[in-house]
Amino acid sequence: MKHIHYKNSTVSYTDTGNGPSLVLLHGFLENSNMWKHYITEFSKHYRVITVDLLGHGQTDCIGYIHTMEDMADAVYAVLEELEITEAVFTGHSMGGYVALAIAELYPDMVKGIVLQNSTSKADSEERKLNRDRAINAVKQSYANFVRLAIANLFSEENRERLTAEIEAVRNEALKTPVQGIVAALEGMKIRKDREVLLHTTDIPVLLVLGKKDPVMNYQDSLSQLDGTNVKLISYPDGHMAHIENREALTTDLLQFYKAIL
């Protein structure tokens, strides 16, 4: 990992390969390690940047709430340090929220967006209540919250098939400090609805969904595509396509990147 100083703290990132730039943004309770397989594959053709988002991995917390705009600004600071002026942004779940914030704040930098198991929609009222419950659960029993949260990201069929992979994800998630977890939950809870971006942008956008995603209802997710030029790829599994559908996702992302870079 490499580091920059940012707002009296440290933001960590990786920088691998040469060519047009790809920025890979992890999800909640994840860090840059989730992209190891993809860095290996993508860096054969591209310059691949991963960033540990605020309060995750080796990046420090900067406040009680980390908004998606806060996280977007931290990513931008890394890219500015690297003198990268344009890139394709791929975000898993929360990383997708950050990618959309970057597209709104720094549109000239964005050549394309992949929303992997993510959404442009804001949290529903029910989802906001669930965020509050999660914050309370984290404060009461951090390890139990993380263990349950990770298992619930996979489709039921894959929870037995991928026990080793799930345990590895849990171990990485347990490195996330309580403050980082709470700050991200608070930030996701209040994030803006950016569905309008899908209707107004000329930027190529790819939405990757899981038909059995326990976190994001598949049919609800489809509704944001009406009247847009967003490309859709659906897999038969859960919220963790980068693990549950690794080979297919690798192929599909490379095809998307090749078409726009």
Tab-separated table of all heavy atoms in Angstrom, residues 30-53:
chain	number	residue	atom	x	y	z
A	30	GLU	N	-15.183	-3.635	3.653
A	30	GLU	CA	-14.149	-4.198	2.775
A	30	GLU	C	-12.954	-3.254	2.732
A	30	GLU	O	-12.922	-2.220	3.386
A	30	GLU	CB	-14.724	-4.429	1.372
A	30	GLU	CG	-15.861	-5.440	1.350
A	30	GLU	CD	-16.582	-5.523	0.013
A	30	GLU	OE1	-16.673	-4.503	-0.697
A	30	GLU	OE2	-17.079	-6.614	-0.309
A	31	ASN	N	-11.960	-3.618	1.936
A	31	ASN	CA	-10.811	-2.759	1.676
A	31	ASN	C	-10.200	-3.167	0.349
A	31	ASN	O	-10.757	-4.009	-0.359
A	31	ASN	CB	-9.793	-2.829	2.837
A	31	ASN	CG	-9.307	-4.238	3.100
A	31	ASN	OD1	-8.818	-4.922	2.214
A	31	ASN	ND2	-9.469	-4.692	4.342
A	32	SER	N	-9.074	-2.585	0.005
A	32	SER	CA	-8.484	-2.841	-1.310
A	32	SER	C	-8.144	-4.305	-1.558
A	32	SER	O	-8.027	-4.737	-2.711
A	32	SER	CB	-7.232	-1.983	-1.491
A	32	SER	OG	-7.562	-0.617	-1.594
A	33	ASN	N	-7.995	-5.093	-0.499
A	33	ASN	CA	-7.668	-6.507	-0.673
A	33	ASN	C	-8.737	-7.269	-1.445
A	33	ASN	O	-8.456	-8.308	-2.033
A	33	ASN	CB	-7.456	-7.180	0.690
A	33	ASN	CG	-6.090	-6.886	1.267
A	33	ASN	OD1	-5.145	-6.636	0.534
A	33	ASN	ND2	-5.984	-6.902	2.590
A	34	MET	N	-9.973	-6.767	-1.447
A	34	MET	CA	-11.036	-7.472	-2.166
A	34	MET	C	-10.758	-7.538	-3.670
A	34	MET	O	-11.306	-8.379	-4.376
A	34	MET	CB	-12.399	-6.819	-1.927
A	34	MET	CG	-12.589	-5.471	-2.592
A	34	MET	SD	-14.331	-4.948	-2.713
A	34	MET	CE	-14.876	-5.851	-4.174
A	35	TRP	N	-9.886	-6.649	-4.153
A	35	TRP	CA	-9.654	-6.543	-5.588
A	35	TRP	C	-8.403	-7.292	-6.063
A	35	TRP	O	-8.005	-7.144	-7.213
A	35	TRP	CB	-9.510	-5.072	-5.984
A	35	TRP	CG	-10.710	-4.223	-5.745
A	35	TRP	CD1	-10.816	-3.171	-4.889
A	35	TRP	CD2	-11.983	-4.303	-6.404
A	35	TRP	NE1	-12.068	-2.605	-4.948
A	35	TRP	CE2	-12.806	-3.276	-5.875
A	35	TRP	CE3	-12.507	-5.154	-7.381
A	35	TRP	CZ2	-14.117	-3.076	-6.294
A	35	TRP	CZ3	-13.816	-4.949	-7.794
A	35	TRP	CH2	-14.600	-3.927	-7.255
A	36	LYS	N	-7.765	-8.102	-5.202
A	36	LYS	CA	-6.475	-8.711	-5.565
A	36	LYS	C	-6.522	-9.460	-6.892
A	36	LYS	O	-5.662	-9.277	-7.759
A	36	LYS	CB	-6.009	-9.653	-4.446
A	36	LYS	CG	-5.335	-8.950	-3.289
A	36	LYS	CD	-4.754	-9.960	-2.304
A	36	LYS	CE	-3.965	-9.248	-1.211
A	36	LYS	NZ	-3.404	-10.224	-0.232
A	37	HIS	N	-7.503	-10.320	-7.055
A	37	HIS	CA	-7.624	-11.081	-8.308
A	37	HIS	C	-7.781	-10.135	-9.496
A	37	HIS	O	-7.161	-10.338	-10.553
A	37	HIS	CB	-8.837	-12.016	-8.227
A	37	HIS	CG	-9.324	-12.498	-9.553
A	37	HIS	ND1	-8.717	-13.514	-10.252
A	37	HIS	CD2	-10.376	-12.079	-10.326
A	37	HIS	CE1	-9.365	-13.706	-11.401
A	37	HIS	NE2	-10.378	-12.860	-11.461
A	38	TYR	N	-8.574	-9.095	-9.320
A	38	TYR	CA	-8.882	-8.187	-10.428
A	38	TYR	C	-7.693	-7.288	-10.761
A	38	TYR	O	-7.474	-6.956	-11.927
A	38	TYR	CB	-10.141	-7.379	-10.082
A	38	TYR	CG	-11.335	-8.283	-9.932
A	38	TYR	CD1	-11.644	-8.855	-8.693
A	38	TYR	CD2	-12.117	-8.635	-11.023
A	38	TYR	CE1	-12.711	-9.729	-8.561
A	38	TYR	CE2	-13.181	-9.501	-10.899
A	38	TYR	CZ	-13.475	-10.054	-9.664
A	38	TYR	OH	-14.515	-10.938	-9.549
A	39	ILE	N	-6.929	-6.914	-9.755
A	39	ILE	CA	-5.702	-6.142	-10.021
A	39	ILE	C	-4.774	-6.956	-10.911
A	39	ILE	O	-4.225	-6.449	-11.897
A	39	ILE	CB	-4.994	-5.772	-8.700
A	39	ILE	CG1	-5.834	-4.792	-7.891
A	39	ILE	CG2	-3.612	-5.171	-8.982
A	39	ILE	CD1	-5.309	-4.547	-6.483
A	40	THR	N	-4.616	-8.234	-10.584
A	40	THR	CA	-3.729	-9.111	-11.379
A	40	THR	C	-4.186	-9.178	-12.824
A	40	THR	O	-3.374	-9.063	-13.760
A	40	THR	CB	-3.703	-10.523	-10.773
A	40	THR	OG1	-3.201	-10.445	-9.438
A	40	THR	CG2	-2.804	-11.446	-11.584
A	41	GLU	N	-5.478	-9.352	-13.031
A	41	GLU	CA	-6.002	-9.494	-14.393
A	41	GLU	C	-6.034	-8.159	-15.141
A	41	GLU	O	-5.597	-8.066	-16.296
A	41	GLU	CB	-7.407	-10.100	-14.340
A	41	GLU	CG	-7.451	-11.533	-13.844
A	41	GLU	CD	-6.621	-12.475	-14.698
A	41	GLU	OE1	-6.723	-12.398	-15.943
A	41	GLU	OE2	-5.873	-13.280	-14.123
A	42	PHE	N	-6.536	-7.130	-14.501
A	42	PHE	CA	-6.748	-5.856	-15.183
A	42	PHE	C	-5.434	-5.126	-15.462
A	42	PHE	O	-5.326	-4.403	-16.454
A	42	PHE	CB	-7.670	-4.952	-14.365
A	42	PHE	CG	-9.070	-5.483	-14.183
A	42	PHE	CD1	-9.917	-4.916	-13.233
A	42	PHE	CD2	-9.555	-6.544	-14.936
A	42	PHE	CE1	-11.208	-5.395	-13.049
A	42	PHE	CE2	-10.837	-7.037	-14.772
A	42	PHE	CZ	-11.666	-6.459	-13.815
A	43	SER	N	-4.428	-5.307	-14.600
A	43	SER	CA	-3.171	-4.571	-14.774
A	43	SER	C	-2.348	-5.090	-15.950
A	43	SER	O	-1.339	-4.488	-16.314
A	43	SER	CB	-2.343	-4.616	-13.489
A	43	SER	OG	-1.973	-5.945	-13.169
A	44	LYS	N	-2.786	-6.182	-16.559
A	44	LYS	CA	-2.143	-6.639	-17.804
A	44	LYS	C	-2.413	-5.666	-18.944
A	44	LYS	O	-1.665	-5.626	-19.925
A	44	LYS	CB	-2.671	-8.027	-18.189
A	44	LYS	CG	-2.333	-9.125	-17.194
A	44	LYS	CD	-3.051	-10.419	-17.562
A	44	LYS	CE	-2.798	-11.517	-16.525
A	44	LYS	NZ	-3.560	-12.759	-16.824
A	45	HIS	N	-3.489	-4.878	-18.812
A	45	HIS	CA	-3.905	-3.975	-19.885
A	45	HIS	C	-4.048	-2.522	-19.431
A	45	HIS	O	-4.034	-1.613	-20.268
A	45	HIS	CB	-5.261	-4.423	-20.454
A	45	HIS	CG	-5.318	-5.872	-20.809
A	45	HIS	ND1	-4.780	-6.368	-21.973
A	45	HIS	CD2	-5.839	-6.939	-20.132
A	45	HIS	CE1	-4.978	-7.694	-22.013
A	45	HIS	NE2	-5.617	-8.045	-20.915
A	46	TYR	N	-4.214	-2.311	-18.118
A	46	TYR	CA	-4.567	-0.984	-17.618
A	46	TYR	C	-3.745	-0.610	-16.391
A	46	TYR	O	-3.122	-1.466	-15.757
A	46	TYR	CB	-6.066	-0.957	-17.233
A	46	TYR	CG	-6.983	-1.327	-18.362
A	46	TYR	CD1	-7.579	-2.584	-18.427
A	46	TYR	CD2	-7.248	-0.419	-19.391
A	46	TYR	CE1	-8.421	-2.933	-19.481
A	46	TYR	CE2	-8.079	-0.749	-20.443
A	46	TYR	CZ	-8.665	-2.009	-20.491
A	46	TYR	OH	-9.482	-2.341	-21.539
A	47	ARG	N	-3.777	0.660	-16.057
A	47	ARG	CA	-3.249	1.137	-14.777
A	47	ARG	C	-4.386	1.047	-13.772
A	47	ARG	O	-5.437	1.670	-13.955
A	47	ARG	CB	-2.762	2.582	-14.900
A	47	ARG	CG	-2.139	3.125	-13.619
A	47	ARG	CD	-1.665	4.555	-13.812
A	47	ARG	NE	-0.984	5.045	-12.609
A	47	ARG	CZ	-0.492	6.278	-12.479
A	47	ARG	NH1	-0.627	7.166	-13.480
A	47	ARG	NH2	0.125	6.625	-11.368
A	48	VAL	N	-4.204	0.264	-12.740
A	48	VAL	CA	-5.280	-0.039	-11.794
A	48	VAL	C	-4.984	0.614	-10.443
A	48	VAL	O	-3.959	0.320	-9.811
A	48	VAL	CB	-5.449	-1.558	-11.610
A	48	VAL	CG1	-6.619	-1.847	-10.665
A	48	VAL	CG2	-5.678	-2.237	-12.964
A	49	ILE	N	-5.887	1.473	-10.014
A	49	ILE	CA	-5.779	2.149	-8.724
A	49	ILE	C	-6.872	1.600	-7.807
A	49	ILE	O	-8.031	1.530	-8.198
A	49	ILE	CB	-5.988	3.679	-8.863
A	49	ILE	CG1	-5.198	4.251	-10.042
A	49	ILE	CG2	-5.671	4.385	-7.543
A	49	ILE	CD1	-3.724	4.066	-9.968
A	50	THR	N	-6.507	1.200	-6.603
A	50	THR	CA	-7.510	0.902	-5.584
A	50	THR	C	-7.283	1.859	-4.423
A	50	THR	O	-6.148	2.246	-4.144
A	50	THR	CB	-7.429	-0.554	-5.074
A	50	THR	OG1	-6.253	-0.710	-4.265
A	50	THR	CG2	-7.401	-1.543	-6.223
A	51	VAL	N	-8.345	2.235	-3.758
A	51	VAL	CA	-8.255	3.176	-2.639
A	51	VAL	C	-8.985	2.590	-1.436
A	51	VAL	O	-10.126	2.133	-1.563
A	51	VAL	CB	-8.882	4.547	-3.002
A	51	VAL	CG1	-8.738	5.521	-1.835
A	51	VAL	CG2	-8.230	5.123	-4.260
A	52	ASP	N	-8.333	2.568	-0.286
A	52	ASP	CA	-9.033	2.259	0.956
A	52	ASP	C	-9.862	3.482	1.329
A	52	ASP	O	-9.301	4.550	1.618
A	52	ASP	CB	-8.042	1.940	2.080
A	52	ASP	CG	-7.478	0.530	2.014
A	52	ASP	OD1	-7.949	-0.264	1.176
A	52	ASP	OD2	-6.569	0.218	2.805
A	53	LEU	N	-11.168	3.332	1.320
A	53	LEU	CA	-12.047	4.464	1.619
A	53	LEU	C	-11.957	4.835	3.095
A	53	LEU	O	-11.450	4.079	3.922
A	53	LEU	CB	-13.477	4.126	1.211
A	53	LEU	CG	-13.664	3.861	-0.293
A	53	LEU	CD1	-15.061	3.341	-0.592
A	53	LEU	CD2	-13.382	5.131	-1.106
